[in-house]
Amino acid sequence: MTVRYRRMAERGSVAGMAPRLVLGVVLSGAILSGGVPVIAPLAQAHADAPETSAAAHAPMTPVAGVSVPVAAPEAVAATAPAAQSAGATAGMSGGVSAGVSAPAVAARPVPVPVPVPVPVPAPGPAVPTGPLPVGGPAAPELGEEARAVRLQAAQIGLRAFTAPDFHPGKVRHIVLMRFLPTITDAQRAEVVRRFMALGQVSRRDNGQQVIADIETGVQMSGEGVDQGFGQGFVVTFNSEGDRNYYVGKPVVSDPAYFDPAHEAFKKFAAPYIIGVLVFDYALPAHQAQRTRRAAVMRPGMTQQQG
């Protein structure tokens, strides 16, 4: 070492090598004795440097000879520092390697979004979800004549309203039916057969026949205004009282004053019918007389000219 120092002095670099020699002697003694040198804190390297980030505002704490920024006091208090011992190892060339572990800083808690309750609307009125009827005409809106007939029934009573002698005279009762598109030929034939049978089975409690005449036919017009009605019936009564007794519901609601056979037919045919048109009219007196005379004439007999 004396020789080295002399050579360095000869070169004029004694003053520049003095700190290195001192550091080498201290490290060599520490290594021989098995201890760890305690190095004085170094001056802050960035004291005169301009602040370029938020880390420049953090206080510097010496740790094993290195100044490192520490977290805010509240963050340090919330977590325990996990520090490891620093070690220095001097090589043959006089270099020093130091391992330093800075205190572990707890990460700030990430705010968890709180779900906002969504207002649930009040339940509305229950909607029926049952199966819809296969067929059956919808209830039509009452016209002026229908309201007048029902008012008349309420004023005079059902007994007089359905009597055989109430407003005598021929009454035509025309019924047009629009069948379900999926109806079979056999089902349609059965509906027609049962309707025509009303001419015989529709009777009063005393056995008196209600229907004077009945006929039917299939739609055959080519005008294109049939609106889908495929079957027509023409029923003739001898009085409005007989017509009222035959029609029954919805004009007459008391079973004692309407035809049970016609009511049974309506229940049977409802699943096969999607539309019904009913038109009634009364024949004038003189026209009714001519019709009656034509009905009693024998076949082949001609009317005398007078």
Side-chain angles (χ1 to χ4, degrees):
M1 185 176 291
T2 304
V3 176
R4 186 179 180 182
Y5 180 80
R6 182 176 300 176
R7 293 179 180 178
M8 294 173 65
E10 292 175 358
R11 298 177 183 178
S13 59
V14 175
M17 296 298 295
R20 296 183 180 181
L21 292 175
V22 174
L23 181 59
V25 172
V26 174
L27 292 177
S28 299
I31 292 172
L32 293 175
S33 61
V36 178
V38 179
I39 304 175
L42 301 178
Q44 296 183 5
H46 303 285
D48 299 330
E51 298 180 357
T52 58
S53 64
H57 296 282
M60 308 298 290
T61 302
V63 179
V66 181
S67 297
V68 296
V70 297
E74 60 273 11
V76 176
T79 180
Q84 298 180 356
S85 60
T89 305
M92 297 302 295
S93 59
V96 179
S97 175
V100 180
S101 297
V105 180
R108 294 184 180 273
V110 179
V112 179
V114 179
V116 179
V118 179
V120 180
V127 179
T129 57
L132 297 176
V134 177
E141 184 179 356
L142 293 180
E144 181 180 355
E145 188 62 29
R147 289 194 297 267
V149 171
R150 299 187 186 195
L151 179 61
Q152 186 182 43
Q155 289 175 346
I156 67 175
L158 295 181
R159 181 184 294 274
F161 184 72
T162 59
D165 57 352
F166 178 72
H167 291 179
K170 293 296 181 180
V171 176
R172 297 280 195 255
H173 177 76
I174 301 175
V175 180
L176 303 181
M177 292 185 182
R178 183 166 57 205
F179 294 106
L180 198 70
T182 57
I183 191 173
T184 64
D185 293 341
Q187 292 170 340
R188 177 169 177 164
E190 182 64 15
V191 171
V192 174
R193 186 194 69 80
R194 292 198 181 199
F195 193 101
M196 295 299 293
L198 294 176
Q200 298 297 327
V201 300
S202 292
R203 297 179 179 272
R204 296 182 179 270
D205 295 338
N206 59 3
Q208 182 180 354
Q209 193 170 342
V210 178
I211 297 176
D213 188 43
I214 185 172
E215 57 183 292
T216 187
V218 178
Q219 199 286 124
M220 56 173 295
S221 173
E223 298 179 67
V225 293
D226 54 273
Q227 300 183 15
F229 293 98
Q231 191 80 26
F233 301 88
V234 179
V235 185
T236 303
F237 301 97
N238 290 324
S239 67
E240 291 185 23
D242 286 341
R243 189 274 314 265
N244 298 338
Y245 180 82
Y246 165 83
V247 170
K249 294 180 181 180
V251 181
V252 180
S253 57
D254 190 343
Y257 300 102
F258 64 71
D259 182 16
H262 185 215
E263 188 67 22
F265 167 79
K266 289 189 288 187
K267 292 181 180 180
F268 164 78
Y272 308 106
I273 300 174
I274 58 176
V276 176
L277 190 151
V278 177
F279 189 92
D280 293 358
Y281 64 94
L283 294 177
H286 63 280
Q287 184 178 357
Q289 292 177 359
R290 288 200 301 267
T291 304
R292 188 179 306 110
R293 290 177 60 184
V296 298
M297 290 178 61
R298 285 179 287 182
M301 182 176 181
T302 60
Q303 189 175 2
Q304 294 182 356
Q305 301 294 329

